[in-house]
Amino acid sequence: MMPRDGVAQEADAAVNSARVRERLSEWIAQRIEVAAPIAAVALLVVNGLGFLWGTGKSTVFSAASMVWQSVLLLIEAWIMRRPSIRRYAREVGLIVASLVFASMVLDGWVQGEPTTSALLLAAFVLVTPAVLPWGWKSQLAFAAMGTVAFLATLALTVGVSTGLSTPWGSAIIVAAVASLGIAMQLEAVHTAAIEHALRQERERALYQELVDRAVEAILRTDINGSIQFANDAAARLFAVDRQELLGQRFFDFVAIPTREEVVRFFAEQYRGNDDRALRETPIVDAKGNRKWASLTVRTLRRGSQRDGFHIVARDITERVRIVEQLRQSEVRFRSTFERAPIGIALVATDGRFLQVNGALCQMLGYSAQELCQRDFQSITFPADLAADLALVGECLQGLRDTYEMEKRYVRRDGKLVTARLLVGLVRDSHGIPVYFVSLIEDITERRRLERELAQAKEAAEAANRAKTMFLARMSHEIRTPLTGVLGMLDLLRSSALTAEQLEYVETAKSSGETLLALLNDLLELSRIESGRIDFQVDTVDSHRLIHDVCRAFRAQAETKGLGFELAVAANVPQFVRIDPKVLRQILVNLVGNAVKFTTQGCVGVEVQWQASDDEHAGTLCLVVRDTGPGIAPGEFEHLFEPFAQGSAGRRTGGSGLGLAIVRRFAEACGGGAWVESEWGVGSTFHVRLPLEVAAPRQPSQQTSAAVAEEPVPAGARKRRSRRVLVAEDHPVNQMLLRRLLEKGGYEVRLAGDGNAALACLEVERFDALLLDVQMPGVDGLELTKIVREREARGECFSRSGGTVPIVVLTAHAWAEDRERCLQAGANAYLAKPVHAAVLYASLNQCLPAEQEMEGEPARVA
C-alpha cells in the first residue's frame, strides 16, 4: 500500500501533467489560428504561379486542389476559436493534415509530376513541428501521413523505385526524419516553459492570497508616499475601496497633529538602511473615523536606487482604547484610593501594609511610610487580635474570601479607635493568595452616639413606664372611689325619688360616666404609645357588631331629632378576623362624635369592602358622614393628635383622645384614617382596615361577661338563695357590693382581706367568690391561687361540689391584668366600676345551670 505522502505527490504530479497538456493544447490552438491562414495563402500563391506556366486540365485541377486545401486550413483556423474544440487542437490538426496530404496525392497523380508534391510535403513536414509544439508522437503520425502520400504520388506517376532514387524523391523521407528531432526539441522547450509559467502562477497566487488575507494592512508607495499597491486589509483600515485607494498619498490619512512627525520618520527611513516601527500612529479614514495603527516601514531598493516604501500597518485602535481605559481606571482607582473618606489598605498575607491611603493615616496617626513599615498585628488592640487572625486564617485556607468585623486599633498617641473592617482576599490566576484589600471605617463617634442614644432611649422608656405606672396607679385610685360613687348613684336611682332628685342623680351619674370614659381613653392611648397594645384577633361577625353599635347611637340621634342612616354594601363579608374591641372602639368614637357634634340634619354610616387579588383578604372601608359644624381649615393638621380639639369640640366638651385612638388603631392594623370637611357644612371621616375573610364561627356556649342585664327587683322569691363570699377591703365598696348582691337575691358574706376570706372558707361553703385583687395581706390573686391549689389536693369550698366559681374585681384596666387573673384560676374578670347588670351576668355565667331557683335573676342573652 502506497504511503499517504506518495499518494499526495502522485496526485499533484497528475494535476501538473494535466495542466501542462492543457497549456500545450492551448498553445497548439493559438499557433493553428495563426499558421493555418498563412499556409492557406501560401498554397494559393503557389497555385497561382503554377497556373501561370501550367497547361491544360492539370493546371485547373491543381488550382482547385490548392483552393480546397486552403479552405480546409481556413476552416481549421476558424473552429479553433471555439473553447470546446481548442482542447482537441492536436487531433483536429492531424485530421486536417491528412485531408491536405490526400489532396496533394490526388493533385500529384493528376499532374503526373511528383516534384511539386514532394516540395510541398517536405515543407509541411519540416515547418509543422517548428510551428506546432504538439510532440514527437503527433509529429511521427504527421510525417508518416506525408510519407504515405508521397509514396502514393510516386506510385501513380513515375513509380516508387524510380521516384525514391531521385534526390527530390528522397528529400521527403529526410525531411520526415528531421522533423521528429525538431518536434522532440520543441516539445521539451515548450513543456519546460509551461511548467515554469505554472510555478510562477502558483507562487503569485500564493503570494496574492497571503497578502489579501493578511490581518495587517500591506501597502507599497513611491518615494512621495503615493500608494501603488494595497491589500484588502488596507482598504478596510482606510474605509475606502481598494482600487480607489491606489494613487492617494499615504500621508493624507495620517492625523494632522502627527503628520509632520510621520513624514520625518519616512525621510529617515529613506536615508537609512534598517527597518523601523512607528507605534501608535493616529490615522483618519475616509469616513472621518479616528484610528490608531502601528507602522513598520521598509525602503524598497532596486540596486542602489530607492523606488519607494513597503508599509505594514496593524490596526491597534481597540488595544489603544483598552490601554487608555486601563490608564483611566488606574487614575480613578488611585484617585479613589487616595481621596476615599474611609481608610483603605493593601495588606500582604503576613500582615504587612503594602499601600495605605491618607484617610487611614489620619485615622491611626501614622504617616504612609511609617505604616508601610508595620503590620496590622502591631496596631490592633490585643483583645481583638485573635478574632481577626482567625478570620485571616480562614481566608488563606480557602474557607472564605471575605470577612467583616468590628475591632479596635491603637493609635500612635495610644488612643483607641473603633473601626468597622471589611476585608477581601485577592488571588492570582492560579488561585494563590496575593494580598488583602481592607476597607477600614472609623465608627468611634458612631458607637459613642449609639451609646448615648441607647441611654436616652432607655431613659425615655423609663419615663414612659413611669408615666404608664402613674396612669395605672391613678386609674386604680380613681376607679376605687368612682366605683362607690356610680354604684351608690345606681342604688339611689332605683329608690323612690322626686323628679328633681332623679335629675340630680342622673346628672351626677352622667358626669361620673364621662370621667370613667376619659380614664379609659387615657389608659388606651397610654397602652398604644408604650407599645403594650395587644390585639386579641378573633373571628368577628362584622354585620352584627356594626348594627349593634349603630343601634345604640340611632336612639341617641332620634332623641336629638337627627336622621340616622346605615348602609352596608352587599359584598362586605360577614365574618372577618380582627380584635372586636378595635372595630367597636373605632365605630363608637366616630359615630359618637358625629351624633354629639351634629345638631340638625342627619348622620350616615357607610360600610364598603374593597377586594384584593387574594380572595381571602381585602380592605374594610368605614365612612361616617355628618351635617355638623364641620372642621376649620387650620384644624385638619392636628385633628388626630392626642388632646387636640376643634372649635366644636371645645364647645361641646370631650377629651380630644377619640380620634387619636381611631388613627392609632387603624395604623396598627395596617390601614389609615383621614377626614374630609367643609366648614359649616359637615365632615366625612374615612377609615381603612386591611382584614382577612374568616369562615363562620360556631355559636359559643358561653355568654360574655359584658352582656347587659337588667337588675332584678328586690324581694324576688327563691327556694334557696345563693351564697357569695365578697372579699373587699374598701368599706364603701363592701356596702355597694352587699346592696347590689342582696337586691339580686344573693346571700352575702363579707371579708375585709384575704386572710379573713380564708377563715370564712374554713367554716362555710359558698356558691361563688367575689374577690378584689388589691387587698392588704393576701390579695385576690394570691387567694385565688391558694383556693385552686387546695381544691387540687381534694378540698371543696363549693356548696354544689367541685370547684367554686371565682369572679375577680380590680381597679386595674390593662389587658394583661385580665390575663393574669385568668391564669391564676379565676372564672371571670370585672373592671371597676362595676354595673349591676354586668355583675349579675358574670355570676350567672359562672354558676351551674341546675342551681337556678325560682325567682332568680333571669339571664339576658
Side-chain angles (χ1 to χ4, degrees):
M1 185 174 180
M2 184 175 294
R4 187 173 180 179
D5 292 343
V7 174
Q9 290 177 359
E10 282 200 356
D12 291 341
V15 171
N16 291 335
S17 178
R19 295 190 67 182
V20 170
R21 288 196 299 271
E22 183 180 353
R23 288 292 184 92
L24 283 173
S25 297
E26 179 66 24
W27 205 329
I28 292 171
Q30 292 175 357
R31 296 299 184 271
I32 289 176
E33 282 188 90
V34 176
I38 296 174
V41 173
L43 288 174
L44 291 176
V45 171
V46 171
N47 182 63
L49 294 175
F51 185 78
L52 291 176
W53 64 70
T55 58
K57 179 179 179 181
S58 62
T59 304
V60 175
F61 184 82
S62 178
S65 176
M66 291 295 180
V67 171
W68 164 249
Q69 295 169 12
S70 299
V71 171
L72 285 176
L73 293 174
L74 293 175
I75 291 174
E76 180 183 23
W78 177 72
I79 64 176
M80 281 299 116
R81 297 179 180 177
R82 296 181 175 273
S84 58
I85 301 299
R86 296 176 74 86
R87 59 188 302 181
Y88 304 107
R90 186 176 311 183
E91 289 76 7
V92 172
L94 291 175
I95 293 172
V96 173
S98 63
L99 293 176
V100 171
F101 287 153
S103 175
M104 289 182 178
V105 170
L106 184 60
D107 183 44
W109 174 70
V110 172
Q111 292 182 7
E113 295 180 356
T115 304
T116 305
S117 297
L119 293 176
L120 290 175
L121 286 173
F124 264 83
V125 169
L126 288 174
V127 172
T128 298
V131 176
L132 303 176
W134 55 11
W136 66 272
K137 294 180 180 179
S138 299
Q139 182 60 30
L140 179 60
F142 183 77
M145 287 188 296
T147 303
V148 171
F150 175 66
L151 294 176
T153 302
L154 294 179
L156 293 175
T157 54
V158 297
V160 175
S161 57
T162 303
L164 290 175
S165 60
T166 58
W168 55 265
S170 59
I172 187 61
I173 304 299
V174 175
V177 175
S179 68
L180 291 178
I182 298 173
M184 293 175 63
Q185 186 67 28
L186 188 61
E187 181 184 22
V189 172
H190 279 281
T191 300
I194 291 172
E195 291 177 349
H196 178 71
L198 289 175
R199 283 194 301 271
Q200 288 186 330
E201 288 181 2
R202 284 197 299 270
E203 291 176 357
R204 283 196 298 270
L206 179 60
Y207 173 77
Q208 189 66 36
E209 182 179 7
L210 291 175
V211 171
D212 289 342
R213 295 188 179 183
V215 177
E216 295 85 358
I218 301 176
L219 306 99
R220 285 191 177 182
T221 69
D222 59 14
I223 59 175
N224 296 318
S226 178
I227 300 174
Q228 298 176 343
F229 171 81
N231 65 348
D232 293 337
R236 291 192 299 269
L237 178 64
F238 297 114
V240 67
D241 186 75
R242 183 173 176 178
Q243 296 300 322
E244 295 179 2
L245 189 59
L246 302 180
Q248 299 191 42
R249 292 181 77 248
F250 171 78
F251 304 121
D252 293 340
F253 293 101
V254 178
I256 294 177
T258 59
R259 187 173 297 174
E260 294 183 1
E261 178 185 351
V262 174
V263 172
R264 287 196 301 271
F265 169 76
F266 273 77
E268 293 175 0
Q269 285 294 99
Y270 182 81
R271 293 189 294 269
N273 296 318
D274 298 330
D275 295 340
R276 291 187 182 180
L278 180 64
R279 299 294 182 183
E280 299 184 2
T281 300
I283 62 173
V284 180
D285 63 17
K287 297 180 180 180
N289 298 322
R290 186 182 179 90
K291 300 178 180 179
W292 289 85
S294 64
L295 304 180
T296 301
V297 182
R298 182 180 180 183
T299 305
L300 296 177
R301 292 180 175 83
R302 186 172 300 172
S304 59
Q305 184 178 359
R306 293 173 174 81
D307 292 339
F309 299 97
H310 179 81
I311 304 172
V312 177
R314 177 183 290 273
D315 188 351
I316 58 170
T317 305
E318 185 66 17
R319 191 186 74 185
V320 171
R321 184 185 65 81
I322 294 174
V323 170
E324 179 62 20
Q325 288 180 348
L326 290 175
R327 187 188 66 80
Q328 294 179 0
S329 177
E330 182 180 359
V331 171
R332 287 194 299 269
F333 169 76
R334 187 171 298 278
S335 176
T336 302
F337 185 85
E338 293 297 336
R339 298 183 181 181
I342 64 173
I344 304 177
L346 304 183
V347 184
T349 55
D350 60 359
R352 292 177 297 104
F353 287 103
L354 301 176
Q355 190 174 354
V356 294
N357 68 343
L360 184 61
C361 295
Q362 184 177 0
M363 182 191 309
L364 300 178
Y366 293 93
S367 66
Q369 183 178 2
E370 289 173 338
L371 274 180
C372 290
Q373 295 174 356
R374 306 177 68 92
D375 53 27
F376 76 85
Q377 295 92 327
S378 63
I379 60 174
T380 299
F381 188 65
D384 300 339
L385 182 58
D388 197 359
L389 291 177
L391 293 172
V392 169
E394 291 180 8
C395 290
L396 296 177
Q397 293 170 14
L399 301 179
R400 60 167 66 209
D401 289 328
T402 62
Y403 70 87
E404 178 180 353
M405 68 176 296
E406 286 188 13
K407 74 173 196 176
R408 288 164 292 180
Y409 289 97
V410 181
R411 284 175 49 89
R412 185 176 184 180
D413 56 11
K415 296 181 180 178
L416 292 182
V417 176
T418 303
R420 178 171 175 261
L421 181 64
L422 292 90
V423 180
L425 178 60
V426 178
R427 302 176 184 271
D428 61 13
S429 58
H430 302 289
I432 300 175
V434 180
Y435 58 85
F436 291 96
V437 177
S438 299
L439 303 180
I440 307 168
E441 181 183 6
D442 186 354
I443 59 173
T444 306
E445 184 66 15
R446 183 195 306 175
R447 289 291 175 262
R448 185 187 65 79
L449 293 175
E450 288 176 354
R451 287 193 298 270
E452 292 179 356
L453 287 175
Q455 293 172 358
K457 179 182 178 183
E458 185 177 351
E461 291 177 349
N464 193 39
R465 287 193 300 269
K467 180 193 73 172
T468 303
M469 293 301 296
F470 171 76
L471 287 175
R473 183 65 182 173
M474 292 303 297
S475 171
H476 179 272
E477 297 300 328
I478 294 174
R479 283 176 185 274
T480 299
L482 192 59
T483 300
V485 171
L486 294 178
M488 291 302 176
L489 289 174
D490 281 335
L491 292 175
L492 183 61
R493 186 177 58 174
S494 63
S495 63
L497 299 175
T498 65
E500 184 179 1
Q501 291 172 336
L502 181 61
E503 181 182 359
Y504 295 159
V505 170
E506 291 292 347
T507 302
K509 181 174 175 56
S510 176
S511 299
E513 289 177 346
T514 301
L515 179 60
L516 179 62
L518 174 60
L519 187 61
N520 289 334
D521 286 345
L522 283 172
L523 290 176
E524 195 69 55
L525 185 64
S526 178
R527 277 199 297 268
I528 295 173
E529 290 182 344
S530 64
R532 298 177 63 183
I533 183 170
D534 184 15
F535 289 151
Q536 302 295 325
V537 178
D538 197 0
T539 299
V540 177
D541 187 340
S542 62
H543 290 200
R544 182 175 179 179
L545 189 149
I546 293 169
H547 282 85
D548 287 346
V549 172
C550 292
R551 187 182 300 115
F553 286 104
R554 183 189 299 274
Q556 297 182 21
E558 291 175 352
T559 301
K560 296 178 65 174
L562 302 175
F564 192 94
E565 299 176 355
L566 172 63
V568 181
N571 67 333
V572 175
Q574 182 173 0
F575 294 96
V576 295
R577 297 280 297 170
I578 191 175
D579 187 340
K581 178 188 67 176
V582 170
L583 183 56
R584 182 181 298 274
Q585 186 76 24
I586 291 174
L587 282 169
V588 167
N589 288 351
L590 292 180
V591 181
N593 282 348
V595 173
K596 180 169 65 174
F597 295 130
T598 304
T599 57
Q600 60 180 0
C602 66
V603 173
V605 179
E606 184 178 349
V607 184
Q608 300 174 350
W609 180 258
Q610 184 176 346
S612 64
D613 296 336
D614 185 358
E615 61 180 357
H616 299 295
T619 302
L620 186 68
C621 304
L622 304 176
V623 181
V624 179
R625 297 184 176 88
D626 64 64
T627 56
I631 302 170
E635 298 174 352
F636 275 90
E637 184 178 354
H638 305 289
L639 189 62
F640 287 93
E641 295 179 0
F643 305 104
Q645 289 182 310
S647 55
R650 288 189 292 271
R651 290 194 301 269
T652 58
S655 64
L657 297 175
L659 292 180
I661 293 174
V662 167
R663 171 167 284 183
R664 302 293 175 85
F665 274 149
E667 291 176 349
C669 293
W674 69 97
V675 63
E676 299 172 353
S677 182
E678 184 176 352
W679 178 250
V681 177
S683 304
T684 302
F685 287 85
H686 300 264
V687 176
R688 292 172 59 86
L689 300 173
L691 301 176
E692 294 182 8
V693 180
R697 190 177 66 176
Q698 297 297 327
S700 175
Q701 299 298 325
Q702 298 180 347
T703 306
S704 172
V707 173
E709 287 191 8
E710 292 296 334
V712 176
R717 295 186 304 157
K718 319 173 187 58
R719 294 196 194 99
R720 180 173 62 85
S721 63
R722 297 170 177 172
R723 187 179 302 156
V724 179
L725 175 61
V726 177
E728 170 65 59
D729 63 324
H730 198 281
V732 176
N733 289 338
Q734 285 181 358
M735 182 178 64
L736 173 64
L737 292 173
R738 184 186 195 87
R739 297 289 177 86
L740 289 176
L741 290 172
E742 288 177 347
K743 289 187 67 173
Y746 294 93
E747 182 181 346
V748 180
R749 298 285 188 274
L750 290 175
D753 53 33
N755 292 321
L758 284 173
C760 292
L761 291 174
E762 295 291 343
V763 297
E764 190 176 1
R765 293 187 179 185
F766 297 90
D767 294 302
L769 304 181
L770 191 61
L771 309 179
D772 184 24
V773 169
Q774 190 168 348
M775 294 185 296
V778 178
D779 61 19
L781 293 183
E782 293 178 359
L783 181 57
T784 302
K785 293 178 182 178
I786 292 173
V787 171
R788 295 305 184 210
E789 289 174 358
R790 293 177 64 174
E791 287 177 340
R793 293 197 297 266
E795 297 186 44
C796 181
F797 303 103
S798 175
R799 297 177 66 188
S800 60
T803 60
V804 62
I806 300 177
V807 178
V808 176
L809 295 173
T810 179
H812 298 292
W814 299 109
E816 52 265 30
D817 295 328
R818 177 181 181 275
E819 295 298 327
R820 189 165 59 251
C821 294
L822 296 179
Q823 289 175 2
N827 298 88
Y829 161 88
L830 296 178
K832 295 179 181 180
V834 179
H835 295 282
V838 177
L839 177 61
Y840 298 151
S842 298
L843 289 173
N844 288 338
Q845 179 183 356
C846 297
L847 291 172
E850 60 268 16
Q851 284 195 2
E852 293 182 7
M853 303 296 179
E854 180 183 354
E856 283 184 336
R859 297 181 184 176
V860 180

